Amino acid sequence: MNKIITLLSVFAFVFSMASCVQDDDYDTPNLTINEPEIDPNSKTTFKAVVQRYVSAVDANENGELDDNERGDDIGIFEADESELIIEGYVVSSDKGGNFFEELIIQNYPDDSNPSENPRLGFKVELNVSSLYNTYEFGRKVYIKMNGLAIGESNGVLVIGKPDGTQVGQIQAFEFQDFIMRSAEVAEITPKVTAISELTELDENTFIQLDDVQINRNQLDKTFAGDVSDEFDGFRTLESCSDNSTLTLQTSTFADFKSLPVPQLRGSIKGIYSRDFRDDFSVLLINTREDISFENEERCDPIELSCGLASAQGTNNLFADDFESQSTGSLISGNGWTNYIESGTEGWEAYSSGGTNASLGVSARVGSFRSDDASTIAWLISPAINLDAQDNETLVFQTSNSFSDGSEMELLFSNDWDGTEEGISAATWGILTDGYITQDSDFFGAWFDSGIVDLSCASGTIYIAFKYTGSGEADFDGTYELDEISIDY
């Protein structure tokens, strides 16, 4: 009896609720966004906000602030000063998990901005997730700067709440007091540029790189799902037009982290930024669909691999241990071409004892603290005729002093004309079998190349040791080279 009474009560309740609602009351909820009322006189520019930060940096460096006023290089917009509002467009999306508790905004939806107010971007720090639901890609927003601060965090400009000497997050209970949505959702047109042309002005903005690919040695990896990926996965994008590189950074929380990296070549869209430690520049994508690699013809360099020989040749064709060189001077003589393609650093003679001892006198190159935006240095052997004898081999030794963002390559050419002017026009391939010390190797040790077999090559060959810095002079390291011998 109790069950029957309970069921009748439920039916009566449902019927009474239904009878209270007319058919025409089931209207679609009002989703209209009312355009915020913004006083035109309160608007300011991204450039003016950046200037507030620059002024704070200058004041600190010049000692204009006492200990109680120092803000550790953050520009503060006081709550009681005249209202200042910037308007910008959201170019990040946390829907795919590659961004978290942040909005990236830029001041224009495209690259057709006036020169007096250049295209700029900011990261907005928020203690709020799932922002894509209300601040989707392309959404125009207004940010009230009063009560906020601008500073630098992880190498890029950020906006948030003043937090002592830092810029902190805007909290969930207050963020809508500072960030107002416009009804406008703009079509964002990326700035089409090249890796080698990127500057600090491009940070926190949406860009597009054409004719790039993932480095051939990383094609077996995922975006960020490998065992070695901690917090983020880092993969190397390389330009097919000028060999410049940029790191693709993917969070291990991204929903596409376990997908394989694209195997082909093409274009990619993303936000130009810096890694967490501000060591190097990176590109962050919103979604896997931001990558369009459809060209099946990769631009990988030619590779020469004859394997490793079982024994070193007993007859010498060329050798150098650099003992006759003057330390501190550029390597010269003995047929070497010491060419500085970019920057100010070339291969020089070096001698040192201690933990990181040289082998007597060694050849050394590095761009650490050089202040060079780019460092490329070549050390090229004289011509070696491989048709005059058989079973040629190559050996050498390398060491590094924390190579970090720099790299050293072992290259060869059959068509170089022997002039510095002809280096860029020549075809340079990679000798893949010679071991070159890695950044993970102990910096105080020297490593054998192995006995590199050259017997499958023919004609006249030049062998080059090429050093390339990442363009981050405070992060790049040093390589050393010695005991080179080509025999048969």
Side-chain angles (χ1 to χ4, degrees):
M1 176 62 71
N2 288 337
K3 290 183 179 180
I4 295 175
I5 293 175
T6 300
L7 286 173
L8 289 174
S9 299
V10 170
F11 286 137
F13 175 78
V14 172
F15 178 79
S16 64
M17 289 299 294
S19 65
C20 293
V21 179
Q22 302 301 318
D23 289 342
D24 56 3
D25 285 337
Y26 289 103
D27 292 334
T28 302
N30 184 4
L31 299 178
T32 302
I33 298 175
N34 295 320
E35 191 70 19
E37 295 183 4
I38 305 296
D39 182 356
N41 295 322
S42 68
K43 289 185 180 180
T44 189
T45 65
F46 277 43
K47 183 179 179 181
V49 172
V50 173
Q51 187 56 49
R52 182 71 66 102
Y53 166 68
V54 172
S55 297
V57 173
D58 290 343
N60 279 351
E61 291 181 349
N62 296 332
E64 297 174 9
L65 304 177
D66 61 34
D67 291 339
N68 294 325
E69 294 175 318
R70 291 184 64 83
D72 195 26
D73 298 344
I74 66 172
I76 298 174
F77 295 82
E78 301 294 347
D80 58 356
E81 66 179 283
S82 298
E83 187 174 64
L84 291 173
I85 292 176
I86 57 172
E87 59 181 60
Y89 297 84
V90 177
V91 293
S92 63
S93 173
D94 58 7
K95 185 175 183 179
N98 208 27
F99 292 88
F100 181 67
E101 295 188 348
E102 61 190 3
L103 286 178
I104 312 296
I105 62 169
Q106 65 184 44
N107 50 352
Y108 301 103
D110 53 39
D111 197 36
S112 59
N113 52 287
S115 58
E116 64 270 17
N117 284 309
R119 181 173 174 268
L120 298 169
F122 298 133
K123 177 192 291 188
V124 184
E125 299 277 15
L126 296 164
N127 189 16
V128 184
S129 59
S130 299
L131 290 162
Y132 72 91
N133 288 319
T134 48
Y135 299 97
E136 67 270 49
F137 184 82
R139 173 70 67 179
K140 183 178 181 179
V141 295
Y142 300 95
I143 298 182
K144 181 180 178 181
M145 295 302 301
N146 301 78
L148 300 181
I150 179 171
E152 186 175 295
S153 177
N154 309 123
V156 298
L157 292 174
V158 298
I159 291 173
K161 293 295 293 294
D163 183 14
T165 60
Q166 305 294 323
V167 175
Q169 289 183 316
I170 304 171
Q171 297 303 309
F173 71 88
E174 62 182 346
F175 80 99
Q176 290 181 330
D177 295 332
F178 294 100
I179 304 176
M180 299 163 280
R181 282 198 302 167
S182 167
E184 178 184 353
V185 178
E187 179 179 352
I188 303 297
T189 303
K191 175 184 177 181
V192 180
T193 186
I195 294 174
S196 58
E197 296 175 356
L198 291 166
T199 71
E200 287 185 355
L201 293 177
D202 294 304
E203 289 174 356
N204 288 329
T205 68
F206 196 59
I207 65 168
Q208 176 176 317
L209 303 172
D210 292 335
D211 204 20
V212 296
Q213 65 182 22
I214 298 293
N215 181 274
R216 65 193 180 285
N217 296 318
Q218 300 174 348
L219 295 180
D220 61 340
K221 294 182 176 294
T222 63
F223 280 90
D226 291 24
V227 174
S228 59
D229 295 324
E230 184 179 1
F231 301 115
D232 295 283
F234 298 100
R235 309 294 179 251
T236 302
L237 286 168
E238 52 189 19
S239 168
C240 289
S241 59
D242 61 9
N243 297 318
S244 55
T245 61
L246 178 65
T247 300
L248 176 66
Q249 177 178 334
T250 305
S251 169
T252 53
F253 292 96
D255 61 10
F256 54 90
K257 69 173 185 179
S258 298
L259 296 178
V261 296
Q263 306 293 293
L264 309 180
R265 100 194 218 196
S267 65
I268 183 171
K269 301 174 184 177
I271 294 164
Y272 185 53
S273 188
R274 300 283 294 175
D275 78 298
F276 181 77
R277 294 182 176 85
D278 190 23
D279 287 329
F280 50 87
S281 296
V282 299
L283 187 72
L284 297 157
I285 62 174
N286 287 312
T287 171
R288 173 62 178 82
E289 282 66 44
D290 284 334
I291 301 177
S292 179
F293 285 8
E294 298 178 350
N295 187 342
E296 296 183 0
E297 296 183 6
R298 289 179 53 87
C299 59
D300 296 326
I302 300 169
E303 295 185 357
L304 174 61
S305 177
C306 307
L308 294 176
S310 57
Q312 183 177 343
T314 57
N315 303 294
N316 185 252
L317 292 171
F318 173 78
D320 207 336
D321 59 8
F322 303 110
E323 294 302 316
S324 63
Q325 300 287 329
S326 298
T327 56
S329 300
L330 292 175
I331 301 296
S332 62
N334 201 20
W336 288 113
T337 297
N338 191 347
Y339 174 58
I340 301 175
E341 178 181 334
S342 179
T344 60
E345 303 296 327
W347 288 89
E348 65 178 24
Y350 171 75
S351 181
S352 177
T355 305
N356 190 25
S358 57
L359 300 178
V361 178
S362 302
R364 183 179 76 158
V365 65
S367 59
F368 182 61
R369 293 184 177 174
S370 65
D371 293 327
D372 291 333
S374 173
T375 301
I376 303 175
W378 299 71
L379 189 64
I380 310 175
S381 76
I384 306 295
N385 183 0
L386 297 179
D387 293 337
Q389 63 284 311
D390 297 321
N391 301 318
E392 299 89 349
T393 60
L394 163 70
V395 295
F396 58 89
Q397 293 196 58
T398 55
S399 181
N400 76 66
S401 298
F402 306 107
S403 54
D404 292 328
S406 57
E407 67 174 353
M408 176 177 158
E409 297 175 286
L410 178 63
L411 307 179
F412 76 96
S413 178
N414 294 115
D415 62 2
W416 179 43
D417 63 7
T419 68
E420 290 187 357
E421 294 77 14
I423 292 175
S424 61
T427 302
W428 294 95
I430 296 179
L431 281 167
T432 60
D433 299 314
Y435 183 78
I436 296 174
T437 181
Q438 304 296 302
D439 189 46
S440 57
D441 290 332
F442 175 55
F443 72 92
W446 282 83
F447 294 86
D448 293 324
S449 62
I451 305 172
V452 181
D453 191 350
L454 300 176
S455 63
C456 65
S458 61
T460 298
I461 191 174
Y462 296 89
I463 293 174
F465 298 91
K466 180 183 178 183
Y467 173 91
T468 304
S470 67
E472 310 294 339
D474 290 337
F475 179 61
D476 288 340
T478 303
Y479 282 91
E480 294 173 49
L481 172 68
D482 213 339
E483 306 292 352
I484 301 165
S485 186
I486 301 175
D487 308 283
Y488 67 97

